[in-house]
């Protein structure tokens, strides 16, 4: 009788902290042995000359998400999770998005119904809180956090989603009491609106003006303000999809002062620039996302932020809208930039892009690659050590990488339904060739081997990253402020 369900032989096993040539023994979906010359497996995979990495944890993607004005992303849970798996991921954490008036509970029920029958890899959801009315903050949100939805996103811009500063404080305070991690889309709404109005008045409406309206200053101001709101109530915060040097500096300063401020960036800020929005005709619409891609010097600053640890995670922010009337061009073939669906696809290329241009070109080492694409997301979002590492007792979530495989990006080879890739034509070296989720071979030899609905829902723990620092602002410290207890102290 075989000792294991699956043995991966002779690969180079890499985690965020270690590298070792060994076999991986898997039983009942978990890693049960790491070592040389392990006993027999019912199934065996020869990983000689391959890297064995933890499967990617894609923690920022929009899947089967309806926008506030009714537009649906091009991918559903089937196509998005297949695409994620082909890109070396074994877990996705998309968003369950509340719109004004929605019950959060009902929103989560809806997403469960969509995801459970379609996902091919494991999944959870962050919540999006856009309507923090008293019953949402008093009952629904705390109950959902306790049920394992331990992170949620809030927006400082987008008319239908944004919270004002007062609402931000209310949600941060709720997160603090429940130990949830708050993710913030930080752009100054009024600056964007003012610039947009000026541009539209001057008939400057081509896609490239999207990048001007979403100015760098709008991003750094909101990042600074979000951090100050977080400091006032001592609630940890993750600033998502950071695109500028200035916002990166705001996050770094807060971190250096000991505040629990985390940062996320995305491939579009490393590999695209605002010039892409100025491509011929309406082609620029394909690159409209918020914040927008910036310039070469911002790209360098973002790389530095990954290298020096300002950014804990690199996520795709996969927001797939087809380049037609059902997506990007919902308002007609020649819309002003104000009416172009925001977002770029990228769930399948996040890891290959970062591997090829980061590890392959010596910008980051392989451990940093694992850290920012898998381990840190699992830690931030309460999935570690079940996900995000290779260790005995962890889920057998693995991606086997051929570091010598060279391929040009062609949308025709991808598995999402956006209909285009912003990275078309890029030559990348290093691709995942076999992807394993809980011991199941999901992808190998360019084929999908599992059925839709075989991914598992992941309720998540609260994370150590979300625990308050205990450093109250002096004016809120009850020992100093006439004994008035406004915030309860952290443990
Ligand atoms: O433009 C973007 N990033 N669209 C997706 C929604 C978001 O704000 O992340
Ligand atoms: Zn956002
Ligand atoms: Zn997003």
């Amino acid at each position: 009788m075989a000792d294991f369900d699956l043995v991966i032989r002779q690969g180079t096993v890499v985690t965020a902290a270690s590298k070792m040539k060994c076999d991986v023994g898997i039983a009942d979906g978990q890693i049960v042995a790491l070592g040389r010359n392990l006993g027999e497996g019912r199934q065996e995979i020869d990983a000689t000359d391959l890297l064995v990495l933890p499967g990617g944890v894609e923690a920022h993607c929009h899947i089967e998400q309806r926008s506030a004005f009714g537009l649906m992303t091009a991918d559903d849970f089937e196509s998005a999770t297949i695409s994620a798996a082909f890109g070396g991921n074994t877990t996705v954490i998309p968003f369950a998005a509340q719109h004004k008036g929605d019950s959060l509970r009902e929103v989560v029920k809806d997403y469960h119904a969509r995801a459970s029958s379609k996902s091919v890899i494991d999944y959870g959801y962050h919540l999006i809180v856009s309507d923090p009315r008293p019953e949402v903050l008093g009952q629904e949100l705390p109950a959902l956090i306790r049920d394992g939805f331990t992170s949620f996103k809030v927006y400082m811009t987008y008319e239908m989603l944004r919270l004002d500063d007062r609402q931000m404080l209310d949600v941060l305070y709720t997160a603090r009491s429940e130990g949830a991690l708050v993710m913030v889309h930080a752009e100054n709404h009024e600056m964007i609106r003012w610039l947009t109005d000026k541009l539209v008045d001057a008939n400057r409406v081509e896609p490239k003006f999207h990048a001007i309206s979403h100015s760098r200053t709008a991003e750094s101001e909101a990042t600074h303000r979000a951090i100050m709101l977080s400091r006032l109530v001592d609630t940890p915060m993750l600033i998502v999809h950071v695109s500028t040097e200035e916002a990166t500096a705001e996050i770094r300063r807060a971190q250096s002062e000991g505040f629990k401020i985390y940062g996320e960036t995305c491939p579009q800020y490393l590999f695209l620039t605002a010039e892409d929005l100025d491509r011929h005709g309406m082609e620029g619409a394909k690159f409209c996302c918020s914040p927008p891609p910036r310039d070469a010097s911002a790209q360098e600053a973002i790389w530095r932020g990954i290298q020096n640890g300002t950014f804990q995670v690199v996520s795709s922010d996969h927001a797939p809208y087809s380049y037609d009337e059902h997506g990007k061009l919902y308002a007609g073939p020649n819309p002003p930039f104000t009416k172009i669906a925001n977002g770029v696809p990228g769930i399948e290329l996040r890891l290959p892009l970062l591997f090829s241009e980061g590890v392959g070109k010596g910008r980051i080492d392989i451990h940093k690659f694992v850290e920012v694409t898998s381990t840190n997301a699992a830690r931030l979002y309460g999935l570690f050590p079940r996900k995000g590492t290779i260790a005995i007792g962890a889920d057998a979530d693995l991606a086997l990488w051929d570091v010598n495989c060279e391929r040009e990006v062609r949308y025709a080879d991808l598995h999402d339904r956006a209909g285009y890739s912003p990275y078309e034509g890029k030559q990348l070296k290093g691709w995942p060739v076999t992807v394993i989720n809980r011991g199941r071979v999901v992808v190998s030899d360019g084929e999908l081997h599992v059925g839709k609905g075989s991914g598992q829902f992941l309720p998540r723990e609260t994370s150590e990253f979300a625990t308050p620092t205990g450093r109250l602002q002096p004016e809120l410290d009850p020992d100093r402020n006439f004994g008035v207890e406004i915030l309860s102290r952290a443990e």
Side-chain angles (χ1 to χ4, degrees):
M1 206 178 92
D3 300 305
F4 304 100
D5 297 332
L6 171 64
V7 177
I8 295 158
R9 297 256 175 229
Q10 288 289 321
T12 301
V13 174
V14 183
T15 69
S18 65
K19 186 190 266 194
M20 173 172 65
K21 194 153 180 85
C22 69
D23 303 336
V24 182
I26 295 163
D28 298 327
Q30 292 190 334
I31 297 169
V32 292
L34 292 164
R36 305 228 164 160
N37 304 316
L38 293 185
E40 227 175 273
R42 278 195 298 111
Q43 187 185 357
E44 303 224 348
I45 296 174
D46 179 9
T48 314
D49 297 331
L50 299 180
L51 292 183
V52 181
L53 308 184
V57 177
E58 169 55 85
H60 185 155
C61 49
H62 303 269
I63 302 179
E64 220 170 325
Q65 184 181 321
R66 193 176 291 285
S67 73
F69 52 99
L71 203 60
M72 195 56 152
T73 54
D75 280 312
D76 66 8
F77 276 88
E78 184 180 6
S79 57
T81 55
I82 291 174
S83 185
F86 274 92
N89 299 285
T90 48
T91 298
V92 292
I93 316 178
F95 296 91
Q98 180 200 34
H99 296 300
K100 299 248 186 280
D102 286 351
S103 142
L104 265 184
R105 268 271 173 230
E106 290 302 316
V107 167
V108 167
K109 231 197 251 172
D110 276 1
Y111 277 83
H112 266 317
R114 292 178 216 168
S116 58
S117 59
K118 297 185 198 153
S119 294
V120 304
I121 55 174
D122 292 353
Y123 62 94
Y125 324 101
H126 313 285
L127 307 171
I128 285 175
V129 178
S130 68
D131 189 3
R133 44 188 205 276
E135 73 269 24
V136 171
L137 290 191
Q139 288 125 44
E140 288 198 315
L141 184 57
L144 284 164
I145 294 168
R146 285 175 217 151
D147 284 353
F149 301 88
T150 54
S151 49
F152 61 87
K153 181 175 174 185
V154 292
Y155 287 78
M156 296 171 82
T157 188
Y158 287 132
E159 199 61 55
M160 317 279 271
L161 293 172
R162 76 196 176 98
L163 307 188
D164 62 26
D165 291 355
R166 166 71 191 242
Q167 291 173 312
M168 290 277 290
L169 288 168
D170 285 339
V171 297
L172 285 165
Y173 190 62
T174 304
R176 182 182 201 275
S177 328
E178 301 296 333
L181 186 64
V182 183
M183 308 159 76
V184 178
H185 179 130
E187 290 187 283
N188 179 307
H189 185 68
E190 294 301 336
M191 285 184 185
I192 294 169
R193 266 192 15 163
W194 188 83
L195 285 166
T196 301
D197 289 347
K198 294 280 172 234
L199 288 163
V200 171
D201 285 350
N203 201 25
R204 302 273 161 96
V205 292
E206 293 81 21
K208 67 179 173 190
F209 294 109
H210 171 78
I212 293 175
S213 68
H214 284 251
S215 91
R216 318 157 88 100
T217 311
E219 184 176 339
S220 44
E221 187 284 328
T223 303
H224 179 81
R225 183 157 37 97
I227 291 170
M228 289 302 154
L229 296 170
S230 144
R231 283 175 55 166
L232 181 70
V233 288
D234 186 24
T235 305
M237 172 184 284
L238 170 77
I239 309 289
V240 295
H241 47 47
V242 175
S243 74
T244 69
E245 177 166 15
E246 297 84 350
T248 308
E250 294 285 352
I251 295 167
R252 188 152 181 79
R253 182 165 58 240
Q255 291 168 345
S256 73
E257 290 170 5
F259 296 101
K260 286 194 179 183
I261 300 295
Y262 310 109
E264 175 206 72
T265 192
C266 314
Q268 43 274 41
Y269 308 120
L270 295 168
F271 306 112
L272 303 176
T273 68
E275 303 220 327
D276 287 305
L277 279 74
D278 193 19
R279 293 203 193 180
H280 184 66
M282 283 308 291
E283 283 283 301
K286 294 179 176 174
F287 302 86
C288 283
C289 58
S290 300
R294 307 292 181 178
D295 61 14
S297 112
Q299 291 178 338
E300 286 313 312
I302 298 294
W303 276 115
R304 280 196 300 281
I306 296 172
Q307 290 155 350
N308 67 25
T310 307
F311 298 116
Q312 285 65 45
V313 270
V314 179
S315 311
S316 71
D317 193 6
H318 181 70
Y321 292 105
S322 51
Y323 183 60
D324 59 22
E325 70 277 16
H326 305 295
K328 286 280 178 191
L329 307 180
Y330 72 92
N334 217 1
F337 72 86
T338 50
K339 294 198 170 134
I340 294 171
N342 273 209
V344 291
I347 203 164
E348 194 162 338
L349 294 174
R350 172 183 75 121
L351 299 173
L353 282 164
L354 200 67
F355 189 95
S356 180
E357 304 305 294
V359 182
K361 302 222 164 128
R363 290 178 167 116
I364 55 173
D365 69 21
I366 187 69
H367 304 290
K368 177 62 98 178
F369 174 81
V370 171
E371 187 185 306
V372 298
T373 59
S374 178
T375 314
N376 279 350
R379 294 180 72 203
L380 277 163
Y381 299 119
L383 290 171
F384 190 83
R386 177 174 171 194
K387 305 290 189 190
T389 194
I390 299 177
I392 290 175
D395 280 359
D397 285 2
L398 305 166
L400 278 46
W401 283 72
D402 178 350
V403 301
N404 295 313
C405 174
E406 271 188 79
R407 258 172 43 202
E408 183 181 306
V409 172
R410 290 186 314 177
Y411 176 71
D413 297 331
L414 301 178
H415 299 81
D416 67 68
R417 293 189 191 144
Y420 73 96
S421 169
Y423 309 103
E424 185 79 27
K426 225 172 164 26
Q427 197 69 32
L428 301 182
K429 185 169 177 192
W431 289 85
V433 289
T434 301
V435 178
I436 296 165
N437 173 219
R438 279 180 289 102
R440 307 171 302 136
V441 177
V442 177
V443 168
S444 71
D445 303 320
E447 301 280 329
L448 181 74
H449 298 283
V450 297
K452 60 192 237 185
S454 60
Q456 269 184 9
F457 170 67
L458 301 165
R460 295 176 289 115
E461 308 282 325
T462 55
S463 117
E464 74 209 74
F465 286 76
T467 316
T469 62
R471 285 174 58 192
L472 288 179
Q473 303 288 293
E475 65 273 23
L476 294 186
D477 184 336
D479 291 342
R480 300 202 207 173
N481 189 12
F482 313 107
V484 177
E485 186 122 358
I486 299 171
L487 295 173
S488 52
R489 268 172 211 276
E491 293 300 308

